[in-house]
Amino acid sequence: MQRQQFTALMYGWIIILGLILLTSIILAFLLRFTTMEETTLSWLTLAIGLICLFIGGLVAGVKSKQKGWIIGSITGIGFTLFTFLVQYLGYQQAFSLEQSLHHFGFILAAVIGGVIGVNFVASENNN
């Protein structure tokens, strides 16, 4: 893998983890200090996760400038692998079917972000 693609992956993963951490803190405060219920929180975390993975794939695609679907898929798979390792090694639990479907959606969001990110750079170069 070229150095540029590896750098793009690192930017994507750092953006994803930073956004997830920031939104987790915000959601914790909302859950503590408002009347938000846990059912609302589960749907909200899914939407936030999809948005974060999309943005991470977008950043990786912009930095990579080529092969957006590959960069996006590796970004999403890397995040899923990291999450799986934390859950499996830390809590001795594998993914449930629902979690597997969520992570498939996360990977798909990162792929779409990567493709759009590469095409965003290509459209800027044409102008």
Side-chain angles (χ1 to χ4, degrees), residues 60 87 92 109-110 112:
Q87 182 172 329
Q92 288 82 34
I112 293 170

Side-chain angles (χ1 to χ4, degrees), residues 101-112:
L101 292 174
H102 287 179
H103 280 275
F104 178 75
F106 292 157
I107 293 169
L108 190 61
V111 168
I112 293 170

Side-chain angles (χ1 to χ4, degrees), residues 22-110:
L22 178 67
T23 56
S24 294
I25 292 168
I26 292 169
L27 288 175
F29 279 117
L30 285 176
L31 191 60
R32 173 68 177 99
F33 296 113
T34 65
T35 60
M36 182 184 291
E37 295 180 11
E38 194 172 322
T39 55
T40 306
L41 187 67
S42 67
W43 285 105
L44 190 59
T45 55
L46 176 63
I48 288 172
L50 289 170
I51 292 168
C52 290
L53 267 287
F54 175 79
I55 292 171
L58 186 77
V59 168
V62 167
K63 291 287 183 184
S64 173
K65 299 179 182 138
Q66 60 183 347
K67 299 179 184 176
W69 67 276
I70 294 174
I71 292 296
S73 62
I74 294 173
T75 303
I77 290 170
F79 173 76
T80 296
L81 182 64
F82 175 76
T83 305
F84 177 76
L85 289 175
V86 167
Q87 182 172 329
Y88 187 72
L89 296 175
Y91 300 103
Q92 288 82 34
Q93 294 180 351
F95 278 167
S96 66
L97 178 62
E98 182 181 5
Q99 286 176 310
S100 298
L101 292 174
H102 287 179
H103 280 275
F104 178 75
F106 292 157
I107 293 169
L108 190 61

